[in-house]
Amino acid sequence: MVNEARGSGGSSSGSEGSKDSSRCSTPGLDPERHERLREKMRRRMESGDKWFSLEFFPPRTSEGAANLISMFDQMAAGGPLFIDVTWHPAGDPGSDKETSSMMIASTAVNYCGLETMLHMTCCQQSPEAITGHLYKAKQLGIKSILALRGDPIGDQWEAEEGGFDHATDLVKHIRSEFGDYFDICVAGYPKGHPEAGSFEEDLRHLKEKVSAGADFIISQLFFEANTFFHFVKACDDIGITCPILPGIFPIQSYSSLRQLVKLSKLEVPQEIKDVIEPIKDNDAAICNYGIELAVSLSRELLVSGLVPGLHFYTLNRKMATTSVLKRLGMWTEDPRRPLPWAVSAHPKRREEDVRPIFWASRPKSYIYRTQDWNEFPNGRWGNSSSPAFGELKNYYLFYLKSKSPRQELLKMWGEELRSEESVFEVFAHYISGEPNRHGYKVTCLPWNDEPLAAETSLMKKQLLRVNRLGILTVNSQPNVNGRPSSDPIVGWGPSGGYVFQKAYLEFFTSRETVEALLQVMKKYELRVNYHIVDVKGENITNAPELQPNAVTWGIFPGREIIQPTVVDPVSFMFWKDEAFALWIEQWGKLYDEESPSRMIIQYIHDNYFLVNLVDNEFPQDSCLWQVVEDAFELLNRPAGLKGEAEAQ
């Protein structure tokens, strides 16, 4: 029996509070989600598993911030143990600006799922200001700090009145104010700090930092492995026993080498100068040489048995570092995911293992809208009567907006739209991967800023057909019946398990198509659940009220069944506000307000419905494609025959 709208149920005002979670005793699927950084290091060292980590700096512009977050997502695929973000006193580093060190680090933790260490310096900061920054970092989910004195603003270090002059003071302050909450890293200088009286004096200062509470050391860059070996032995001789990571700098250009050497006050070995000077105007040649040099240095370090991992100074560039890591065999793109969706690294979300499917392609938006929850569903979604989703007012936050600039979007989605069918073609080209009539590939849509998921290939033919007919799909998954968790396309979770999925299809379509769907779904009533809603909240469903429907689950050795993805009727009403708004915010606003193209997008926004279908018979071939075919067959019948069908 079809239940008509029970009220909109989906005002996105977002009250304070949390989604009531149903706790269970199921162990976490990914143990590293529950470990602090020093524990992850210890476990890797005990197993002999070498790791790598990456350093980035905050960009100067909003566009640079969006590009850096995109790079985080790409670099995360290689499996870094952690990243770190530098602290720039001149750039308002502790503010809420999208280019601040604090916001870049917070975004990496919360929205990219990366273990992230934030640099903190003493420069031009009172102890009270530092404490404020640390409290903010803690609130944002940052658990690791690289404690530094910092470089002087001018030529000479000037102490802040009442402030700290040394990193040791900062380490002591962090431990005094925050106890053991933060993992603390400090810097080591393989040839001694340039301001130290001697190498031995600098080593004593390093030991003081470790004794004050530092957990591990990252070294300044160096060019020869013997420099690092000598440093490690000297640290051991003086009683420093914590992990020491070598800092690796792949030379990428002549100018970047000169700038970094100037800042670090290091001397470049003559043999490196002899190679670089003749090619200093050829950045590509220098970069290739830098990669070879970094690979050779890294291999020598790794085979020595003295280093647990490698730390790379990336200069916010991807190619050189990834090339080195791939040559070393350390870049490990494992297609398996701990869960079917992108996880957050915030400590309060470490137990989270259930989400509604609707945000599958917009996980950062889901994290943003649930950031104020105090608890997160674990084991099961539970009763869905009052999830407190926050309102998404700003579609242009640097971590939510499209990575593609306006001109590229227009080339993909159309400089000019002539009809609704023009929109259908955009969706079809996104599915097919074929260039549009102007020769541009459609690599994203407002609801998905990434290339298609691998499992979409299992439904590509069907998706292409229905999109061309006006079933504009924004989310889908095939049925899966007991595939190994190691499956490269649909697998997730630990090894030795089996995963299951119900077929799911979510799309926008016209009122006429919805009316036909409602007619044909009468014969699928016991098999297919549906939710249909328009922008005003008119809601039609045959699903039980407030009852979530698990559409993905997994069975793993020694664990309870995990059901990480659900179709939840109340959450769908919150999602529909966002899904409809994306038509205007990310597509319609590309055009002038009174233009025909804008009016076409506005018409779809105002008149189309958002539909989701679930085929509950997962062991059988999905019937959802037949449902759609039946609907279009009904639409194409002569008027008299349509009436007969409706009367049946």
Side-chain angles (χ1 to χ4, degrees), residues 471-521:
I471 298 287
L472 306 178
T473 58
V474 295
N475 197 350
S476 60
Q477 70 176 29
N479 63 304
V480 173
N481 185 20
R483 294 292 299 168
S485 60
S486 57
D487 187 281
I489 296 178
V490 298
W492 55 272
S495 301
Y498 294 90
V499 297
F500 302 80
Q501 292 181 175
K502 295 177 182 178
Y504 177 77
L505 194 62
E506 183 182 333
F507 53 90
F508 290 97
T509 198
S510 68
R511 179 177 291 275
E512 294 76 17
T513 306
V514 163
E515 290 171 351
L517 282 168
L518 288 171
Q519 287 297 317
V520 303
M521 280 193 288

Side-chain angles (χ1 to χ4, degrees), residues 10-211:
S11 169
S12 291
S13 58
S15 58
E16 292 183 3
S18 67
K19 170 73 179 73
D20 291 336
S21 62
S22 299
R23 297 291 170 192
C24 74
S25 58
T26 307
L29 293 176
D30 181 6
E32 286 202 350
R33 288 181 72 194
H34 300 263
E35 293 176 335
R36 55 194 305 165
L37 181 53
R38 67 189 185 208
E39 292 169 348
K40 295 177 185 179
M41 288 185 175
R42 186 182 305 116
R43 187 159 58 83
R44 296 285 188 98
M45 291 170 69
E46 290 172 352
S47 68
D49 185 12
K50 306 297 185 185
W51 72 79
F52 70 90
S53 51
L54 307 167
E55 180 171 295
F56 301 92
F57 61 84
R60 295 181 178 180
T61 65
S62 172
E63 183 180 351
N67 290 337
L68 183 58
I69 300 312
S70 174
M71 186 185 298
F72 286 169
D73 289 333
Q74 296 168 39
M75 299 294 268
L81 187 65
F82 67 92
I83 71 165
D84 67 303
V85 178
T86 63
W87 185 268
H88 286 200
D92 202 3
S95 73
D96 291 336
K97 294 178 181 177
E98 55 195 24
T99 56
S100 74
S101 302
M102 188 75 74
M103 286 300 101
I104 294 295
S106 170
T107 302
V109 169
N110 289 285
Y111 298 100
C112 303
L114 288 165
E115 178 78 49
T116 303
M117 181 167 65
L118 176 65
H119 290 214
M120 188 74 64
T121 74
C122 310
C123 185
Q124 294 188 327
Q125 296 202 97
S126 67
E128 293 76 20
I130 290 171
T131 300
H133 291 321
L134 290 167
Y135 270 114
K136 185 174 183 178
K138 180 179 178 180
Q139 182 183 28
L140 292 171
I142 297 165
K143 300 173 290 183
S144 303
I145 300 292
L146 176 50
L148 302 160
R149 187 201 70 172
D151 296 322
I153 299 297
D155 294 333
Q156 300 293 325
W157 175 262
E158 294 183 10
E160 180 79 11
E161 185 175 351
F164 304 135
D165 285 335
H166 304 286
T168 303
D169 302 324
L170 179 54
V171 175
K172 290 178 179 177
H173 180 74
I174 296 171
R175 287 291 179 233
S176 172
E177 294 293 322
F178 295 89
D180 201 38
Y181 176 81
F182 289 107
D183 288 333
I184 301 177
C185 176
V186 292
Y189 299 85
K191 288 196 170 183
H193 193 282
E195 296 178 19
S198 66
F199 177 74
E200 291 73 21
E201 177 188 321
D202 189 49
L203 274 183
R204 290 194 294 272
H205 290 318
L206 180 59
K207 185 174 182 182
E208 288 173 2
K209 290 189 281 188
V210 174
S211 299

Side-chain angles (χ1 to χ4, degrees), residues 411-579:
K411 289 174 181 177
M412 289 190 283
W413 301 346
E415 300 273 0
E416 180 182 3
L417 302 174
R418 299 180 181 276
S419 65
E420 293 169 59
E421 285 72 21
S422 300
V423 176
F424 300 176
E425 282 301 307
V426 174
F427 278 78
H429 283 294
Y430 177 62
I431 298 294
S432 71
E434 297 295 322
N436 61 22
R437 67 182 64 184
H438 302 294
Y440 297 101
K441 288 190 175 184
V442 180
T443 59
C444 65
L445 290 174
W447 305 268
N448 191 346
D449 204 42
E450 303 293 337
L452 289 170
E455 67 180 7
T456 304
S457 64
L458 304 176
M459 309 172 288
K460 188 172 182 178
K461 179 180 178 181
Q462 297 93 329
L463 286 168
L464 190 56
R465 171 169 168 73
V466 300
N467 275 276
R468 284 176 170 154
L469 293 172
I471 298 287
L472 306 178
T473 58
V474 295
N475 197 350
S476 60
Q477 70 176 29
N479 63 304
V480 173
N481 185 20
R483 294 292 299 168
S485 60
S486 57
D487 187 281
I489 296 178
V490 298
W492 55 272
S495 301
Y498 294 90
V499 297
F500 302 80
Q501 292 181 175
K502 295 177 182 178
Y504 177 77
L505 194 62
E506 183 182 333
F507 53 90
F508 290 97
T509 198
S510 68
R511 179 177 291 275
E512 294 76 17
T513 306
V514 163
E515 290 171 351
L517 282 168
L518 288 171
Q519 287 297 317
V520 303
M521 280 193 288
K522 291 176 181 178
K523 66 179 180 180
Y524 298 96
E525 187 75 23
L526 297 178
R527 179 167 175 175
V528 177
N529 285 128
Y530 57 82
H531 295 83
I532 303 172
V533 65
D534 68 2
V535 69
K536 299 174 184 176
E538 179 187 344
N539 180 26
I540 307 170
T541 180
N542 68 343
E545 185 175 10
L546 305 182
Q547 181 62 50
N549 184 353
V551 291
T552 307
W553 63 99
I555 299 173
F556 305 95
R559 304 174 189 267
E560 296 178 8
I561 293 175
I562 308 296
Q563 51 177 47
T565 313
V566 299
V567 169
D568 171 56
V570 176
S571 301
F572 184 59
M573 298 301 287
F574 286 90
W575 161 246
K576 69 91 180 168
D577 293 341
E578 181 175 336

